[in-house]
Amino acid sequence: MKQNTVRLAAMEIDNVKNVKHGRLDFAKSRNGSILGIYGQNGSGKTVAVDCMVLLKCLLSGKRIPSNFYYYINFQSDTAHVKYCFEMSTEFGESYAEYEVELLKNGEFSFCISKEKLSVRNYTEGKATKLAPIFDYQKGESELFRPLKYYACFEKKKNMENMVALEIARQATENFNEEKQRPEVSSFLFSKKSQGVFARAEGDAGKIFRYSSILQNYGIYDLTVIENEHYALLALNLDMIPINIGWPDSVKSRISGIMLHPTDINVVPRELYPYVANTIEQINIVMKALIPEIHLEIYNAFDKLMENGKDGIQFEITTLRDGGRIPLLYESAGIKKLISICSNLIACYNRESYCLVVDELDSGIYEYLLGQCLEVMQERAKGQLIFTSHNLRPLEVLENELLIYTTVNPENRYIKSAYIKNTQNTRLSYLRSIKLGGQKEKLYSETNIYEIELAIHRAGKAGIHG
């Protein structure tokens, strides 16, 4: 059976934070599909990462973080994101669009007011019309459309299925009264909906056929690492997400492992060999990045877990010149490299894998960063999306792999015009900031003398007496 592959082709954002409208297109039909997002502070780089967090939650059937209420642009009641995918499955080549709309429906509360999945198939080189296979609109009399698919469930008079779908729909507008926060999740990708759609026959089976492929992508092949993760990791307050290539027999039961770098870890006995193998994979890469560091699983022994099952307890340490050092005392940069290493391995080797990293350059030596990106650009099978302030990647990545934020909220992302791959992209970008020449203005002007004067005045404002 052919293995399914899913690739993110584009993302369109409306009214999320300071992005009134923006579209990001990804490199097509090439290995090393990278997208680097550059721009000044507060210009919308992290919005792209936030939207990928949203996608991860939706596809996985998890709750959207309640703070997404504040991500809806303050001048709007709704935020809308459209994700475009290219899929290759046993059924052939397809193109899919998944849209979601968030609506403010109360003070500090929001709901999903629209959720739509549309698919176009390619048969013998010809494309079919892009047609919706699931379309939920808040307030409609039917739970979802198209009616020809909805009728397949309604006609059977299966009360259990209809109740399950209604419960799944209610999840789009849940509000926890006790905690006073929204607890919203997807209608289409909820466990109850997927259970009902999996039993559908005929044309209605298309809903599960394509939504299940996207759900597997969201659970197993999409990883988003936010900047706040690094801050907590540096303070030894967070856990490291380890990407493990689970066999199919295990994949259906677990999607990943979180390891505490500075404390005791306990994993089920049956999963420990996969964890140990992943640590060895990380060591292979770390030896190439920082030769003097070697990770070690220390003091592993049998441990009865809280659920009564057999487990293995262990710690993770680093070895330097034969000396054992607790990971607690390693630098934030080392912890960051370790934390993303398993994900970079997956991104390099798996075509469907998509790794999204906010501020990839944070804590990493710029020359090493450039080398890593060169390798990913030339050989990686998966997709790497990152934001960065360090301009070193501009010197190693091809121009088509870079997107820049603008000062125009109505057209927040653009690709650079008039720059060839033979030119120094870094110098061309800095020249565009100073002199212009792009389709949109890239930088809200700052003045060195005004900055100096402001700091001087602020110091005087703090003097009393």
Side-chain angles (χ1 to χ4, degrees), residues 401-418:
L401 305 181
L402 299 165
I403 276 185
Y404 305 97
T405 57
T406 75
V407 301
N408 182 5
E410 301 286 354
N411 186 23
R412 188 59 83 175
Y413 308 104
I414 65 168
K415 289 199 173 184
S416 180
Y418 319 118

Side-chain angles (χ1 to χ4, degrees), residues 207-220:
I207 300 176
F208 181 73
R209 179 189 303 170
Y210 293 104
S211 64
S212 63
I213 291 171
L214 287 176
Q215 182 159 73
N216 282 330
Y217 168 78
I219 295 173
Y220 303 112

